[in-house]
Amino acid sequence: MNKISARLRTEAAEGVPALLLRPWEPRDAPGLVEVFSDAALRRWTSAAVHDEESAARWVRDQRAGWDSGRRYAFAVVEPAADGGGTLVGHVVLKTPAATAEVGYWTAAHARGRAVAPRALRALTDWAFTELGLQRLDLIHRTDNTASCRVAEKTGYALHAVLPATPPAFPLPGHLHTRLRRPAG
């Protein structure tokens, strides 16, 4: 699956602008630092983004994932007329094979505008139609009720409750699954 490139779009809807999902770029580092100043985001993610240097390293890691075909990470932006845009989130497809895992986060300033469900829907459709994947898994901590709502809104059914495995996963988790629907 190497050398895949994609730019995904969602349409604007009532009260919410369109979204562009594109591979992360070096110019995203300053916005990433700002987004990661949010304590709530840091609580749910494992990314070590503290300053522009660590943000640039994180972006390089996301781009390396594309090059290796092991991780397709998308910056989620609200596009602007000048070709730029505002960073509002992140979605990722990890270790694509017949089954892959998805993940996401939303910037604090964009929460409540359905960014995560719209971006996850676009990523899911792309994974099934363009990559031919058969199953996608979504895992989150049981106390992350917002992620549970996103999973439900996007058709990821609760499949299992996973036990805690400290230190990496100190609390139980939910495993949500979505299967590719046959054509026709």
Side-chain angles (χ1 to χ4, degrees), residues 86-161:
T86 303
L87 177 63
V88 293
H90 163 78
V91 291
V92 61
L93 179 73
K94 305 171 193 175
T95 318
T99 299
E101 183 182 343
V102 297
Y104 50 87
W105 50 254
T106 303
H109 66 270
R111 291 187 192 128
R113 298 193 332 230
V115 168
R118 292 184 300 138
L120 182 58
R121 230 177 260 115
L123 178 72
T124 299
D125 291 347
W126 177 76
F128 286 151
T129 59
E130 298 300 319
L131 301 181
L133 300 182
Q134 300 300 310
R135 173 183 163 154
L136 298 175
D137 290 336
L138 184 160
I139 300 171
H140 65 84
R141 290 182 5 190
T142 55
D143 61 340
N144 189 338
T145 57
S147 279
C148 214
R149 284 191 306 273
V150 169
E152 291 167 353
K153 286 178 183 178
T154 54
Y156 284 77
L158 180 59
H159 184 73
V161 176

Side-chain angles (χ1 to χ4, degrees), residues 24 29 32-33 35-51 53-62 71 73 90 92 94 104-105 141 168-169:
W24 286 88
L32 192 59
V33 173
V35 167
F36 268 86
S37 68
D38 173 36
L41 179 64
R42 289 192 314 273
R43 176 179 180 206
W44 302 117
T45 64
S46 59
V49 174
H50 309 290
D51 54 24
E53 182 180 327
S54 60
R57 185 173 35 256
W58 188 89
V59 169
R60 282 192 304 274
D61 289 347
Q62 304 317 301
R71 182 179 177 92
H90 163 78
V92 61
K94 305 171 193 175
Y104 50 87
W105 50 254
R141 290 182 5 190
F169 303 100

